[in-house]
Amino acid sequence: MGDRETRCNAGGQFMDRGRMNQNGVVQPLLTDLYQITMAYAYWKSGKTDDHSVFDLFFRSNPFHGEFTIFAGLDECLRFLESFHYSESDIEYLRRTLPEGTENEFFDYLGDLTAKDVTLHAIDEGTVAFPRVPIIKVEGPLIIAQLLETTLLTLVNYASLMATNAARYRMVAGKHVNLLEFGLRRAQGPDGGLSASKYSYTGGFDGTSNVLAGKLFNIPVKGTHAHAYITSFSGIEELKARLLKHKLTAGVTGDLLELAIKYRQKLSTVLNVSMEESSEGELAAMVSYAIAFPDGFMALVDTYDVKRSGLLNFCAVALALNDLGYQAVGIRIDSGDLAYLSCLARETFERVAERFKVQWFNKLTIVASNDINEETILSLNEQGHKIDCFGIGTHLVTCQRQPALGCVYKLVEINGQPRIKLSQDVEKVTMPGHKNAYRLYSSDGHALIDLLQKVSETPPEVGQKVLCRHPFQESKRAYVIPSRVEPLYKIYWQNGKITQKLPTLELVREKVQKSLKTLRNDHKRTLNPTPYKFAISQVSVSDNLYNFIHDLWLQNAPIGELS
């Protein structure tokens, strides 16, 4: 393994961390300036020994849906492992912070690590809901504050991307493959790599991104571009025409000659004129088939799918068959995808019957062309015959909602609760150190998430629990859970990771397992039922409800009328 892979550098390279690769650009200076200036002000105020608790959560589900997939925890933990200001970081901060910043502060930063931090989190790949903290950070105030921006950037896009991918997986169905094709449209190289990683987490089957394949062990898939087809103008340009038989040693066939022979026969079978088909396209397909006889998948929409692309593809595929090979399929990148996929499937079935090649019935039809959720839903209604979608722009840029909006709020300091008030009730924080539990109904589905103070006794199976809306007094209900799931585990403590971290494959499986705990009406694309039980997406215990509102009254200013 070379230097580029084993050392962290500021250019955003990845370094090998054994189980997973860590992005070298994720370092303490990947933060907002105000985190550093607040750290100095805390330091000047003598708050180096203050103990804090911060909650990281989001306020609403993305894409008008009713669930979110939590992702990015692995990278957060790797960041804590490597948290340290280098000498060059310190020198940069000396030049950047205002003149008069005391030298002792830079010495303090130089010795700072995350060893005194404790991080609680729900499992990566778990379905999460608004206002329930997905990460809790305990530790010295200054270091906990300095972690804010970096943790948010590691969780926000990862969770948004995994959720987007999971939604595509649900609308496509379990029997259709999904490939991520978005690197060229992503927000820079780091965005492209994250998109590949977390689309796979959310349920995609592979990526076109070769580096992501190497770094994260994601299956890499791809065909060719229209440029390859248009680079040939006629069969006279073919420099290689011969292909060795796959099974019979010493036998070589002229693939072009065989393809031309089959094209003549197919013209009658498919009722397509050979004069309308492109010879440059035929030459390109023959050339590509010679290069990849066991993996021949061709783009068929460069000129005309019906009159040229399918005719030439079938001719080359049958020629390959004569030499012991089986083509893989086609990709359609434009036009009426429902109609063209049905046409292609019908064509393959006719060829299979006429030429007695049953594997033609199983040829893969891949569709691309700016596909989004609505496109797939429409194609489903039209009865498409597509086996695989290649999805790029709408997936990786999360065009329906480009940000999740996770926030990081102080909820306790030195054992004393802290609350942020706002005229917008949605922005009022829930103070204090809390635990979260997921309560399940008798049919096994997740029913509601319950927040409690850490000092409270956890809810028990079969025991009635009063669940309250955190801010609306009249909204409350009793729940008798058939199962109680504590949501938090300690993932980081005393300077080390405390849980065995799952592989990307296991996180991917966790996503689908967690989604199965939700009712189908919570997961549907259009008008999903809110995840709640007559109360809200998150409920609080009676004790926590009273605690919140007592603190609210203590901190809210009293108005005066005159």
Side-chain angles (χ1 to χ4, degrees), residues 304-321:
D304 187 291
V305 175
K306 183 177 181 179
R307 294 181 174 82
S308 184
L310 283 175
L311 177 65
N312 284 327
F313 168 79
C314 291
V316 176
L318 288 170
L320 282 173
N321 183 69

Side-chain angles (χ1 to χ4, degrees), residues 197-408:
K197 178 179 179 180
Y198 293 112
S199 64
Y200 188 65
T201 298
F204 272 57
D205 299 289
T207 179
S208 64
N209 185 339
V210 180
L211 181 57
K214 177 186 178 186
L215 293 173
F216 309 123
N217 198 30
I218 301 172
V220 180
K221 305 288 183 180
T223 54
H224 57 76
H226 293 104
Y228 193 83
I229 300 293
T230 58
S231 70
F232 290 82
S233 60
I235 57 177
E236 68 279 356
E237 294 179 21
L238 277 174
K239 294 182 171 60
R241 298 170 44 162
L242 303 180
L243 180 64
K244 292 180 180 179
H245 198 285
K246 181 176 182 178
L247 303 175
T248 307
V251 174
T252 300
D254 187 321
L255 194 65
L256 176 62
E257 183 180 301
L258 289 169
I260 291 173
K261 178 186 72 173
Y262 277 115
R263 190 168 66 150
Q264 291 172 336
K265 294 179 180 179
L266 284 164
S267 177
T268 302
V269 173
L270 302 180
N271 194 27
V272 177
S273 170
M274 276 196 347
E275 284 69 29
E276 293 184 73
S277 63
S278 166
E279 290 210 341
E281 183 180 57
L282 176 66
M285 288 187 182
V286 168
S287 171
Y288 203 75
I290 288 173
F292 301 102
D294 280 314
F296 178 54
M297 174 169 277
L299 193 56
V300 296
D301 72 313
T302 304
Y303 301 114
D304 187 291
V305 175
K306 183 177 181 179
R307 294 181 174 82
S308 184
L310 283 175
L311 177 65
N312 284 327
F313 168 79
C314 291
V316 176
L318 288 170
L320 282 173
N321 183 69
D322 281 1
L323 296 174
Y325 302 94
Q326 290 187 8
V328 175
I330 62 169
R331 178 163 71 96
I332 307 170
D333 191 51
S334 62
D336 186 332
L337 297 180
Y339 165 72
L340 292 174
S341 68
C342 291
L343 173 67
R345 183 59 66 203
E346 180 187 348
T347 299
F348 297 155
E349 290 171 353
R350 289 170 65 185
V351 171
E353 182 180 359
R354 170 64 177 78
F355 295 93
K356 308 303 179 188
V357 280
Q358 289 307 305
W359 59 264
F360 244 77
N361 288 314
K362 297 180 180 179
L363 283 168
T364 297
I365 300 173
V366 179
S368 40
N369 189 29
D370 214 23
I371 290 168
N372 57 28
E373 272 190 61
E374 288 73 22
T375 305
I376 297 176
L377 288 169
S378 175
L379 289 168
N380 290 344
E381 292 175 354
Q382 296 173 67
H384 72 82
K385 301 297 181 182
I386 296 163
D387 302 295
C388 176
F389 289 105
I391 306 174
T393 305
H394 291 276
L395 173 69
V396 303
T397 63
C398 299
Q399 284 192 347
R400 291 184 67 191
Q401 182 174 325
L404 177 57
C406 284
V407 294
Y408 186 87

Side-chain angles (χ1 to χ4, degrees), residues 64-301:
H64 306 292
E66 287 298 329
F67 70 87
T68 300
I69 302 297
F70 170 47
L73 177 60
D74 181 277
E75 294 192 60
C76 291
L77 297 171
R78 301 302 174 185
F79 170 57
L80 294 182
E81 271 192 316
S82 61
F83 187 94
H84 175 67
Y85 291 97
S86 68
E87 290 183 9
S88 64
D89 292 341
I90 297 298
E91 286 307 310
Y92 173 76
L93 290 174
R94 286 182 191 274
R95 299 193 305 270
T96 303
L97 291 183
E99 187 176 347
T101 304
E102 296 180 33
N103 285 329
E104 289 79 5
F105 173 67
F106 298 109
D107 296 335
Y108 170 80
L109 284 185
D111 293 331
L112 207 56
T113 69
K115 65 180 178 59
D116 295 323
V117 167
T118 298
L119 185 143
H120 310 248
I122 68 175
D123 290 338
E124 186 161 12
T126 299
V127 169
F129 299 101
R131 302 193 69 91
V132 179
I134 48 182
I135 290 177
K136 300 190 301 178
V137 175
E138 288 184 76
L141 175 60
I142 294 178
I143 177 64
Q145 185 73 69
L146 288 168
L147 296 176
E148 175 181 4
T149 301
T150 317
L151 293 181
L152 286 172
T153 196
L154 291 175
V155 169
N156 260 311
Y157 181 67
S159 299
L160 187 72
M161 188 69 237
T163 305
N164 202 21
R167 291 173 62 88
Y168 275 97
R169 167 48 65 202
M170 288 191 300
V171 298
K174 65 174 76 172
H175 301 300
V176 174
N177 282 342
L178 295 175
L179 301 177
E180 178 268 312
F181 282 179
L183 178 59
R184 65 186 62 193
R185 305 286 170 77
Q187 280 87 345
D190 287 296
L193 285 168
S194 293
S196 299
K197 178 179 179 180
Y198 293 112
S199 64
Y200 188 65
T201 298
F204 272 57
D205 299 289
T207 179
S208 64
N209 185 339
V210 180
L211 181 57
K214 177 186 178 186
L215 293 173
F216 309 123
N217 198 30
I218 301 172
V220 180
K221 305 288 183 180
T223 54
H224 57 76
H226 293 104
Y228 193 83
I229 300 293
T230 58
S231 70
F232 290 82
S233 60
I235 57 177
E236 68 279 356
E237 294 179 21
L238 277 174
K239 294 182 171 60
R241 298 170 44 162
L242 303 180
L243 180 64
K244 292 180 180 179
H245 198 285
K246 181 176 182 178
L247 303 175
T248 307
V251 174
T252 300
D254 187 321
L255 194 65
L256 176 62
E257 183 180 301
L258 289 169
I260 291 173
K261 178 186 72 173
Y262 277 115
R263 190 168 66 150
Q264 291 172 336
K265 294 179 180 179
L266 284 164
S267 177
T268 302
V269 173
L270 302 180
N271 194 27
V272 177
S273 170
M274 276 196 347
E275 284 69 29
E276 293 184 73
S277 63
S278 166
E279 290 210 341
E281 183 180 57
L282 176 66
M285 288 187 182
V286 168
S287 171
Y288 203 75
I290 288 173
F292 301 102
D294 280 314
F296 178 54
M297 174 169 277
L299 193 56
V300 296
D301 72 313

